């Protein structure tokens, strides 16, 4: 369990770093270059996904250099999250009139635990096992 908590803390640190970078890309493109906020959000996604794959692979999950199939799984998870978060962002901004940066921050906070589990299980194939079966000998599987 301690190892998983450490992974989650590392994942949060990487996520915070990538979020700050992504926020800079999003804000710079939208506010300074006049790019539509959803397009800027997509560009931010590309930048942070690439960096997130490298940092999480090496620092969080200790997966080494990774491989193409791992990168593909990582990107598929992120594209699914992008689609869901993009739709939620549009809903929050256009229907509930929440400022796009506030909505982005709220979605990032909600997205972090979901993203951690998805990448742990799918991208890096580490599974969901939080305790070894030997610790609970009488438990049925």
């Amino acid at each position: 369990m301690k190892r998983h908590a450490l992974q989650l803390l590392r994942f949060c640190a990487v996520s915070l770093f990538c979020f700050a970078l992504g926020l800079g890309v999003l804000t710079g493109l939208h506010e300074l270059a006049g790019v539509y906020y959803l397009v800027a959000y997509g560009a931010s996604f590309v930048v942070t996904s690439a960096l997130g794959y490298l940092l999480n692979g090496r620092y969080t999950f200790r997966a080494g250099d990774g491989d193409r199939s791992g990168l593909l799984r990582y990107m598929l998870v992120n594209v699914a999250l992008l689609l869901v978060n993009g739709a939620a962002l549009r809903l929050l901004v256009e229907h509930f009139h929440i400022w796009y940066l506030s909505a982005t921050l709220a979605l990032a906070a909600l997205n972090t635990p979901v993203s951690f589990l998805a990448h742990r299980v799918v991208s890096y194939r580490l599974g969901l096992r939080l305790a070894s079966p030997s610790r609970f000998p009488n438990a049925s599987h």
Side-chain angles (χ1 to χ4, degrees), residues 15-59:
S15 294
L16 186 61
F17 177 75
C18 288
F19 179 74
L21 176 64
L23 204 57
V25 171
L26 172 64
T27 305
L29 287 175
H30 182 67
E31 298 292 331
L32 300 177
V35 175
Y36 182 59
Y37 76 95
L38 286 176
V39 174
Y41 188 74
S44 172
F45 159 80
V46 171
V47 170
T48 58
S49 288
L51 184 61
Y53 176 73
L54 294 172
L55 291 175
N56 279 314
R58 290 177 187 238
Y59 178 68

Side-chain angles (χ1 to χ4, degrees), residues 11 15 74 77-78 81 110-120:
F11 186 85
S15 294
Y74 189 91
V77 167
N78 275 1
L81 293 170
L110 292 172
N111 188 55
T112 299
V114 172
S115 180
F116 171 74
L117 287 174
H119 286 304
R120 178 174 169 69

Side-chain angles (χ1 to χ4, degrees), residues 69-139:
S69 64
L71 176 59
L72 178 62
R73 289 188 307 272
Y74 189 91
M75 292 308 290
L76 287 173
V77 167
N78 275 1
V79 165
L81 293 170
L82 172 69
L83 294 174
V84 170
N85 284 307
L89 179 63
R90 185 171 185 217
L91 180 72
L92 291 171
V93 170
E94 295 181 14
H95 294 285
F96 292 101
H97 307 290
I98 297 173
W99 186 41
Y100 78 100
L101 289 178
S102 297
T104 301
L105 181 61
L107 289 171
L110 292 172
N111 188 55
T112 299
V114 172
S115 180
F116 171 74
L117 287 174
H119 286 304
R120 178 174 169 69
V121 173
V122 176
S123 303
Y124 298 102
R125 294 188 175 188
L126 297 177
L128 277 174
R129 229 176 312 121
L130 296 179
S132 65
S134 63
R135 289 184 59 192
F136 304 102
N138 295 330

